[in-house]
Amino acid sequence: MFQTSFPSQQPANMATDSPESLMTICTDFCLRNLKGTLCYLLDNEILRLHPDIFLPSEICDRLVNEYIELVNADSGFEPHESFFSLFSEPQSTRLTRLHLREDIVQDQDLEAIAKQYLVELYLTNCERLTAKSLQTLVNFKSTLVSLSLFGCSNIFYEEEHLGRYDDTDCLVNPTRQILTRDFTFQGFQQLRFLNIGCITKGVDVEMMLRPLTRLKALNLSGIQMNDISFLTQWKNTLVSLVLYNMDLSEDHIRITVQLKKLRHLDISRDRLSSYYKFKLTRKVLSLFVQNLEDLVSLDISGHTMLENCAMSKMDDELGPPSYDPSKSSIVPFRSLKRPLQFLGLFETSLCRLTHIPAYKVSGDKNEEQVLNAIEAYTEHRPEITSRAINLLFDIARIERCVQNLRALQLVIAALKCHKYDKTIQVTGSAALFYLTSAEYRSEQSVRLRRQVIQVVLNGMESYQEVTVQRNCCLTLCNFGIPEELEFQYQRVNELLLNILIPTRQDESIQRIAVHLCNALVCQVDNDHKEAVGKMGFVMVSANCGPPDVVKLKLPACPGDLQLSGYSRA
């Protein structure tokens, strides 16, 4: 479902060695062998579905969503230009819920599925989509219930062709981008959940949203609006409102507290992004409590408190921690009728108090709060997530991580979700080194450790930067060699050999790479040794970097080489 409320109260599933479901195995196999299963090639280049096949929405949704995941996460998976055209006809394929992200998705892909009756469509950071896709969305207006355009920064731009051909038939000044200002959600009568966070500046948000009559959840993250009074048209329906990084004022608060049905309110901000004049006060928090009686989730992360909203330190330290609102260390929250399900206090002084009336709190006080922050902010707030992972890195480095499996799963999810975010790759790869150390190995399943290896290799492929490469290599040293790396044997060796090329000239990384390569080669069968030989391992090792790098040994503890948990680039 569309994320409209607080993060899940359930902990991440514990890792097990149970096999993948039959559906998962079949989906993966079909996507990797489309020509041998569901499809044939037309004119040796265009994929076409076999005419005798009908696939219901449960299968089609999974195929498309898993396809996006494979393209993002598996460098060995080849994308197909005509993939989306396989789902062009609802008579043979049914799509209802799609989660598409990054620049994999283009205008023609959405146009290919324009006949489908979509109920849920998430488009996240799809920067290659233009105003053509806005017109495609109109095809789904009678069925669409949930829509996200988060981070689709070019979707409100159309290209105007201005070019002319010169004497050599070359196009001069071919196009320019024009902002589309007339798009509205007219006719989208079923739409209840809408995320337009971080859309293009200059779009008239009020005009665009006015036709929506029964909106229940709205995300306006990163959009600057001086007047949000138009929100009151949904005062009887709106249950979730996200105003992350919106520069607030007293007028914003006055309008917000009129939305009496709100269950989830997020007015958090990134404290490092820019200067905010607005400061939270005891009065503002009291207004939320008094007027929003249905509230179960509130996020005020990143805000500075103008007044002291907390009880004295002496009173705060009395008794064991309690969820009871009447004992709340945050004075305005003593009027709550019940504890909140979620309270976002990340990078605020309030998270360090003892008595917080919420079952789940994001903050920086302890491991639990930090993990809650990573879980809550990973999908749409990489800038916050990277700082939370850096805190986890410090926790894992200095003390034992109590919730190791949950921490590992959350870091893996963040690295997959933000494959091209350097800061997250640096902090995440550093955290993985400590989270996969020998003391935790017995708690971790084979499947989970393989997931770690895959995201580590993704990072090595995406970033040639020294810090990421060092962190990833050190993390690989935590695994049984060659047995745990054998399922990605060729890929690992290719990446390690790339580190050993002379131009790299980083002795510390080359030292680890030589150790890993030797371990991989010496303990495998002849076929693997022959394959590595053909890659040129002997020649590269003999000629790499400093003349004596092959003679260097890995330190007794790989951690003796400094890990970098935060990017300073």
Side-chain angles (χ1 to χ4, degrees):
M1 286 298 293
F2 195 92
Q3 180 68 41
T4 62
S5 58
F6 48 87
S8 170
Q9 198 174 343
Q10 298 298 321
N13 293 330
M14 293 298 96
T16 66
D17 276 323
S18 59
E20 298 279 7
S21 69
L22 183 58
M23 172 66 89
T24 300
I25 295 171
C26 289
T27 301
D28 185 80
F29 182 82
C30 287
L31 288 172
R32 295 179 187 277
N33 301 275
L34 284 172
K35 288 182 288 185
T37 54
L38 303 174
C39 308
Y40 65 95
L41 274 182
L42 179 65
D43 298 329
N44 289 323
E45 57 182 33
I46 302 174
L47 280 175
R48 285 287 183 266
L49 204 65
H50 285 299
D52 56 346
I53 288 179
F54 171 78
L55 300 174
S57 60
E58 294 84 358
I59 293 177
C60 290
D61 290 349
R62 185 149 190 161
L63 283 168
V64 175
N65 294 332
E66 182 64 24
Y67 171 83
I68 296 296
E69 288 298 315
L70 283 174
V71 174
N72 268 322
D74 190 338
S75 63
F77 182 78
E78 288 292 331
H80 299 275
E81 188 174 336
S82 56
F83 176 77
F84 283 87
S85 65
L86 299 177
F87 307 91
S88 59
E89 295 298 332
Q91 291 83 0
S92 55
T93 55
R94 298 283 175 87
L95 292 172
T96 55
R97 292 178 169 83
L98 298 185
H99 295 220
L100 313 178
R101 61 183 306 116
E102 310 300 340
D103 57 5
I104 302 166
V105 187
Q106 303 181 54
D107 290 327
Q108 59 264 32
D109 297 324
L110 280 189
E111 190 175 356
I113 60 172
K115 295 180 182 179
Q116 295 288 346
Y117 301 100
L118 294 185
V119 174
E120 184 176 288
L121 177 61
Y122 295 172
L123 301 171
T124 304
N125 296 324
C126 298
E127 296 184 353
R128 297 178 72 177
L129 297 182
T130 70
K132 291 180 180 178
S133 289
L134 285 181
Q135 298 310 312
T136 302
L137 290 180
V138 176
N139 292 282
F140 312 129
K141 67 181 181 181
S142 62
T143 58
L144 207 57
V145 175
S146 300
L147 174 65
S148 174
L149 302 178
F150 184 90
C152 297
S153 56
N154 294 311
I155 200 167
F156 286 92
Y157 283 107
E158 60 183 348
E159 291 185 345
E160 182 180 47
H161 293 271
L162 302 172
R164 58 179 178 79
Y165 287 93
D166 61 17
D167 295 338
T168 60
D169 289 334
C170 291
L171 196 59
V172 181
N173 298 323
T175 62
R176 70 175 180 183
Q177 288 190 316
I178 304 295
L179 184 64
T180 299
R181 299 179 183 273
D182 57 354
F183 176 81
T184 73
F185 285 104
Q186 184 68 44
F188 288 73
Q189 295 305 311
Q190 303 301 319
L191 198 60
R192 299 292 183 271
F193 310 104
L194 178 63
N195 184 341
I196 54 172
C198 299
I199 62 168
T200 308
K201 292 180 179 178
V203 175
D204 189 335
V205 173
E206 180 179 352
M207 181 193 74
M208 181 171 61
L209 302 185
R210 191 179 295 128
L212 299 175
T213 57
R214 291 180 286 179
L215 205 59
K216 297 183 69 174
L218 180 62
N219 188 323
L220 299 175
S221 294
I223 300 174
Q224 302 307 322
M225 303 183 70
N226 295 325
D227 182 8
I228 60 170
S229 57
F230 69 95
L231 295 179
T232 57
Q233 68 178 301
W234 304 298
K235 64 182 180 181
N236 294 321
T237 61
L238 203 63
V239 297
S240 175
L241 178 63
V242 179
L243 304 178
Y244 170 69
N245 261 0
M246 182 180 287
D247 200 356
L248 303 175
S249 68
E250 291 185 1
D251 284 341
H252 290 81
I253 302 301
R254 179 179 56 82
I255 296 300
T256 300
V257 297
Q258 294 179 43
L259 307 174
K260 304 290 187 180
K261 300 292 185 181
L262 280 183
R263 292 174 55 81
H264 171 62
L265 175 62
D266 184 344
I267 58 167
S268 61
R269 70 180 185 90
D270 176 7
R271 65 177 179 84
L272 299 183
S273 64
S274 62
Y275 175 73
Y276 285 79
K277 298 178 182 178
F278 182 77
K279 303 292 188 298
L280 273 183
T281 64
R282 181 181 296 194
K283 177 183 176 182
V284 171
L285 294 183
S286 296
L287 283 172
F288 290 155
V289 174
Q290 293 164 10
N291 291 276
L292 306 177
E293 295 184 355
D294 294 337
L295 206 62
V296 295
S297 170
L298 175 65
D299 201 330
I300 55 174
S301 296
H303 277 285
T304 302
M305 310 305 296
L306 190 61
E307 302 170 357
N308 182 15
C309 291
M311 65 168 62
S312 68
K313 183 177 180 181
M314 182 179 297
D315 291 336
D316 178 55
E317 294 174 349
L318 291 176
S322 173
Y323 299 132
D324 186 351
S326 66
K327 299 179 181 179
S328 174
S329 300
I330 306 170
V331 177
F333 291 161
R334 290 183 180 178
S335 299
L336 286 169
K337 294 181 178 179
R338 67 193 75 83
L340 296 171
Q341 297 293 320
F342 175 80
L343 181 58
L345 299 176
F346 188 70
E347 295 183 327
T348 70
S349 58
L350 299 181
C351 73
R352 299 189 172 273
L353 298 174
T354 302
H355 309 292
I356 300 177
Y359 296 117
K360 198 167 199 175
V361 177
S362 70
D364 48 41
K365 178 182 179 180
N366 53 37
E367 178 184 331
E368 174 70 20
Q369 288 189 1
V370 169
L371 293 179
N372 290 341
I374 298 172
E375 182 179 43
Y377 308 130
T378 286
E379 185 173 10
H380 293 139
R381 301 176 193 176
E383 65 280 3
I384 304 294
T385 305
S386 64
R387 299 205 291 273
I389 293 177
N390 202 56
L391 291 170
L392 177 63
F393 164 77
D394 287 333
I395 292 169
R397 177 172 58 89
I398 297 169
E399 56 193 84
R400 179 177 171 81
C401 190
V402 177
Q403 300 182 59
N404 174 264
L405 294 179
R406 183 186 177 206
L408 201 52
Q409 290 167 333
L410 290 173
V411 173
I412 290 171
L415 289 169
K416 284 183 176 180
C417 188
H418 300 288
K419 181 180 176 181
Y420 301 108
D421 188 296
K422 177 185 172 183
T423 306
I424 285 185
Q425 292 298 318
V426 170
T427 57
S429 57
L432 286 179
F433 173 76
Y434 290 101
L435 294 173
T436 56
S437 62
E439 64 178 310
Y440 301 117
R441 182 173 298 187
S442 62
E443 304 172 19
Q444 298 166 357
S445 69
V446 172
R447 187 196 305 177
L448 185 63
R449 289 177 70 82
R450 284 189 172 189
Q451 289 177 10
V452 174
I453 293 169
Q454 286 173 328
V455 295
V456 164
L457 298 181
N458 288 344
M460 292 176 71
E461 284 175 337
S462 301
Y463 290 94
Q464 301 304 310
E465 196 265 344
V466 171
T467 306
V468 175
Q469 294 286 319
R470 181 187 296 115
N471 290 353
C472 290
C473 283
L474 285 170
T475 299
L476 290 178
C477 291
N478 283 337
F479 291 84
I481 302 174
E483 61 273 10
E484 286 195 282
L485 301 182
E486 198 164 3
F487 80 105
Q488 294 277 290
Y489 191 80
Q490 181 172 345
R491 187 182 177 199
V492 173
N493 277 292
E494 288 174 349
L495 289 169
L496 293 175
L497 286 174
N498 187 50
I499 290 173
L500 295 176
I501 61 177
T503 55
R504 298 298 295 261
Q505 296 295 337
D506 188 282
E507 183 179 310
S508 65
I509 303 177
Q510 289 184 333
R511 180 187 307 173
I512 311 168
V514 168
H515 163 79
L516 289 168
C517 281
N518 282 332
L520 282 165
V521 171
C522 293
Q523 302 179 51
V524 293
D525 58 34
N526 289 333
D527 289 340
H528 282 335
K529 289 179 180 177
E530 184 178 350
V532 173
K534 290 179 178 178
M535 292 180 197
F537 172 65
V538 176
M539 292 299 298
V540 172
S541 296
N543 296 319
C544 70
D548 60 346
V549 72
V550 180
K551 300 177 183 178
L552 294 172
K553 295 182 179 179
L554 195 71
C557 172
D560 292 345
L561 292 172
Q562 185 178 2
L563 272 155
S564 297
Y566 209 86
S567 172
R568 293 177 174 82

